[in-house]
Amino acid sequence: MDRLWRKHPCILLIFLLILLAGSLVLPYIITDTPFILGWDMRTQYSSFYENLKTMMAEAGVSNTLPFYSWVSFLGNNFWGSKLFYYHNVFDYLALLLFPDMEYDRVVMIQSFFKLLLAGLCFYRYCSYHQYSSSTRIIGSLLFAFSSYSLDALKDPFFHSFYVFLPLYFLAMDRYLLEKKKVGYVLITAFLAITNYYHFYSLSVFSVLYFIYRYFCIHHKIGGFFRAALPLIGAYGIAVLIAGFALVPEFCNIITNDRVGQSSAFFLYDSVRTYFYVLTGLFIPSSIIANRSNDFASMYSYVSDNNTVLYVCLWAGSLCSLLLPQSVARGQQKGNRIFLGVILLFMLIPLGSSIMHGFSEPAFRWFQFPLFVNLTLILPYIENSSRIHRKGLRMTALLVSAVLVLGTPLLGLIQQIPPKEYAQEYCLILIAVVFLWLGYCALRCEKRSWLIAFTFTELLVVSWLSVYSNSAYRQFSRETIEGVTHVLGDKNELNEYLLTRNENNQDQFYRIDVDASSVYWDYSTNLNLNLKSQIM
């Protein structure tokens, strides 16, 4: 293996990424099981994808522009509501390559390639900073299969944003080091169109990141604002390029009653949230989220405003073990200050509220500090002589104590019987085992062993996070087909609507269905799949 990754590191990385991504989708293919049908996926994504498919087909036939349909958002700001879901480059590619494929299969194929692309984007970031082949491979695997990435599989358009993050931060670094701005303009405009929800959070986080990176490069804070002015101008140009999407989205957002609404400002209403922040770096939250009843599970805390607050910061045991090294005495002061500021944003609800558009605090913005955490451990993977051995051992012992004792202690405080969190606790103990295997791999100092350990850990965590979770494979193929065709064949329905009155073919029709009684717990919105796109 040593010779392989030294001569052809990118080929080895692609091979490992294919094996890991394939282990996620292959069980669904073999068992003919629908792929990760989360609630939003059932009630919204499939409907909007079908809506997009119909509009694109209609545009080709009638030579009219797409997006001129009000079928599923009659009376609302169509652009503002639909662009949230539609500006996903992967959906357009899927429509071109697989126009007749069912949506859950489309998402499965998309997810496979997104995982590959996430790893390759991080590999490009590492290559620019001239890390060795083994370091690039390890970092790329950790980023592609972090707990955030695995959890975002069920939210396709969130995951589409995540995979390109390394290119964005690479563009910022290239500006700071080479004063190049074109790449930043392009990636910023692309991400703005891809998902404005995360783009806003990224924009706020970028202010903190720029100051931090400026200090790391110049070892001073003075002059950073003057240095930032050209980049601010580049950001403005990128926003103007994406304005056709951002303007209607902004107009839609300011009318949203969630803006300005928050259940907490300075203190969270439950000790659980602080526990999640403490352990989220060490536990792959993707293996414990959504596994049991929300009221019984300790790791699916939902606020009064239905905002999920479990923390996805884990990016492998190597990250958990090495991150404290970057803030130890003698290391760069900027690391400690930056991570301290990020920690304040995590612990104070107002911080996450700001990151969430001044609405209910949510931890979806943690993808950005997760990326930074990985960049902080790369120098220690690159040069093992920098690792403080005693500090590494103390980190392993303290993290193990948090993982082993934290859950029972929280259960005692919250008066939750052990039987209600036994399943989650067993999964956490698996994380403890990998933590110590990672410790041994770091002490061994063999690159091939580090790669093998990283691959094995991510393989197990990926399995536990996805197919092993019964919540992600709760519906059969027959169930989905029965529900999606409950109103009959879509083409027949469209033809009926178009011909019911030839004088009114240009009018809009809405079919009213008591969704809760017809679609039970499967979906409240799939009747939209059967509606026509009347132009």
Side-chain angles (χ1 to χ4, degrees):
M1 181 180 285
D2 289 351
R3 183 179 302 174
L4 177 61
W5 61 254
R6 284 173 182 166
K7 285 189 174 182
H8 308 286
C10 193
I11 294 177
L12 175 59
L13 173 63
I14 293 174
F15 176 71
L16 296 177
L17 289 171
I18 289 175
L19 289 179
L20 288 172
S23 70
L24 290 178
V25 303
L26 191 59
Y28 288 94
I29 296 175
I30 294 175
T31 60
D32 194 29
T33 303
F35 184 72
I36 310 185
L37 286 170
W39 175 253
D40 284 346
M41 204 173 193
R42 286 178 267 144
T43 59
Q44 298 178 71
Y45 303 161
S46 61
S47 303
F48 297 146
Y49 181 79
E50 188 69 24
N51 195 197
L52 176 63
K53 182 194 299 185
T54 305
M55 286 191 296
M56 296 297 288
E58 180 67 21
V61 173
S62 61
N63 295 321
T64 58
L65 291 175
F67 300 116
Y68 190 74
S69 168
W70 289 70
V71 171
S72 55
F73 275 90
L74 190 61
N76 294 339
N77 182 333
F78 175 80
W79 277 89
S81 55
K82 285 301 186 61
L83 294 184
F84 184 66
Y85 302 90
Y86 277 167
H87 277 146
N88 187 337
V89 64
F90 296 98
D91 280 350
Y92 290 98
L93 291 174
L95 282 173
L96 292 174
L97 298 174
F98 315 106
D100 299 321
M101 184 175 289
E102 293 178 335
Y103 183 63
D104 73 284
R105 290 307 195 208
V106 167
V107 172
M108 181 176 66
I109 294 175
Q110 285 185 16
S111 299
F112 178 86
F113 286 103
K114 285 179 190 177
L115 292 168
L116 268 63
L117 186 58
L120 293 174
C121 287
F122 197 89
Y123 185 88
R124 175 70 185 96
Y125 176 89
C126 294
S127 298
Y128 176 78
H129 290 285
Q130 300 181 339
Y131 286 107
S132 65
S133 301
S134 58
T135 302
R136 299 177 201 176
I137 291 173
I138 293 170
S140 300
L141 293 176
L142 292 177
F143 178 78
F145 292 89
S146 70
S147 63
Y148 196 104
S149 179
L150 293 172
D151 184 70
L153 288 175
K154 69 180 189 301
D155 298 304
F157 63 117
F158 285 166
H159 198 221
S160 298
F161 191 94
Y162 173 85
V163 302
F164 294 107
L165 278 184
L167 300 184
Y168 176 84
F169 290 110
L170 171 60
M172 290 192 72
D173 283 2
R174 292 193 68 183
Y175 168 77
L176 284 165
L177 295 170
E178 305 176 58
K179 300 302 179 184
K180 293 185 177 180
K181 299 180 283 292
V182 175
Y184 180 78
V185 170
L186 295 177
I187 188 62
T188 302
F190 176 77
L191 291 177
I193 295 172
T194 299
N195 189 274
Y196 70 85
Y197 178 95
H198 282 321
F199 178 72
Y200 165 82
S201 301
L202 178 61
S203 299
V204 177
F205 185 84
S206 295
V207 177
L208 303 176
Y209 180 81
F210 181 88
I211 298 173
Y212 159 68
R213 288 295 293 155
Y214 181 87
F215 180 83
C216 290
I217 294 171
H218 299 285
H219 305 289
K220 64 178 183 178
I221 198 67
F224 86 89
F225 183 75
R226 182 172 56 190
L229 287 177
L231 195 66
I232 294 173
Y235 176 89
I237 293 173
V239 169
L240 290 175
I241 293 174
F244 73 94
L246 293 180
V247 170
E249 289 165 351
F250 174 78
C251 294
N252 188 55
I253 290 173
I254 60 176
T255 63
N256 194 318
D257 57 7
R258 293 175 62 183
V259 177
Q261 297 294 323
S262 179
S263 61
F265 290 96
F266 298 106
L267 292 174
Y268 287 105
D269 58 358
S270 173
V271 70
R272 294 188 187 187
T273 307
Y274 299 100
F275 176 75
Y276 299 158
V277 175
L278 173 65
T279 59
L281 182 65
F282 313 124
I283 299 175
S285 300
S286 54
I287 70 174
I288 52 183
N290 305 313
R291 276 188 173 267
S292 58
N293 185 286
D294 288 342
F295 298 101
S297 174
M298 298 175 66
Y299 294 94
S300 292
Y301 176 73
V302 181
S303 73
D304 292 338
N305 289 348
N306 296 317
T307 299
V308 178
L309 294 174
Y310 62 86
V311 174
C312 287
L313 275 174
W314 182 91
S317 294
L318 296 185
C319 188
S320 302
L321 290 166
L322 294 176
L323 186 62
Q325 302 272 332
S326 68
V327 295
R329 182 177 300 177
Q331 298 303 315
Q332 190 167 124
K333 182 180 179 180
N335 294 346
R336 297 195 294 273
I337 296 175
F338 178 74
L339 291 181
V341 171
I342 296 303
L343 183 61
L344 284 177
F345 270 74
M346 293 178 182
L347 293 177
I348 301 175
L350 182 61
S352 287
S353 178
I354 293 173
M355 287 292 185
H356 197 219
F358 293 92
S359 57
E360 179 72 14
F363 291 163
R364 290 193 176 106
W365 66 276
F366 281 11
Q367 58 184 304
F368 313 130
L370 182 149
F371 171 84
V372 176
N373 290 345
L374 280 175
T375 65
L376 290 177
I377 71 167
L378 292 178
Y380 300 94
I381 297 176
E382 179 79 357
N383 185 3
S384 60
S385 64
R386 299 184 58 175
I387 300 176
H388 189 275
R389 302 300 177 184
K390 184 178 179 180
L392 183 67
R393 183 171 63 253
M394 290 300 299
T395 298
L397 290 171
L398 289 175
V399 172
S400 297
V402 170
L403 297 182
V404 173
L405 302 177
T407 300
L409 180 60
L410 180 64
L412 183 64
I413 295 174
Q414 295 288 301
Q415 298 182 341
I416 300 176
K419 64 180 180 180
E420 292 194 11
Y421 60 80
Q423 181 182 10
E424 288 92 339
Y425 188 57
C426 290
L427 294 171
I428 291 171
L429 295 180
I430 294 175
V432 178
V433 173
F434 277 110
L435 184 78
W436 282 98
L437 290 176
Y439 172 82
C440 295
L442 286 171
R443 292 296 301 267
C444 178
E445 298 185 5
K446 288 186 178 181
R447 299 298 183 191
S448 57
W449 284 34
L450 279 177
I451 294 176
F453 163 75
T454 300
F455 175 84
T456 303
E457 180 181 37
L458 296 178
L459 182 67
V460 174
V461 170
S462 297
W463 170 268
L464 293 174
S465 300
V466 184
Y467 191 75
S468 169
N469 190 342
S470 60
Y472 289 160
R473 48 183 172 82
Q474 58 183 302
F475 297 108
S476 66
R477 177 68 52 197
E478 292 75 18
T479 300
I480 291 181
E481 290 179 354
V483 175
T484 55
H485 293 83
V486 69
L487 295 180
D489 180 75
K490 176 188 172 183
N491 292 330
E492 292 180 0
L493 177 62
N494 288 347
E495 184 65 23
Y496 167 74
L497 292 173
L498 289 171
T499 59
R500 59 182 299 185
N501 188 334
E502 294 183 0
N503 295 327
N504 294 325
Q505 287 190 9
D506 294 329
Q507 301 300 312
F508 297 108
Y509 295 92
R510 164 160 269 177
I511 303 174
D512 295 313
V513 179
D514 182 2
S516 60
S517 62
V518 176
Y519 298 105
W520 33 281
D521 65 341
Y522 175 74
S523 172
T524 58
N525 230 9
L526 273 178
N527 58 314
L528 298 177
N529 285 347
L530 283 303
K531 292 185 178 183
S532 64
Q533 308 301 316
I534 305 176
M535 312 302 289

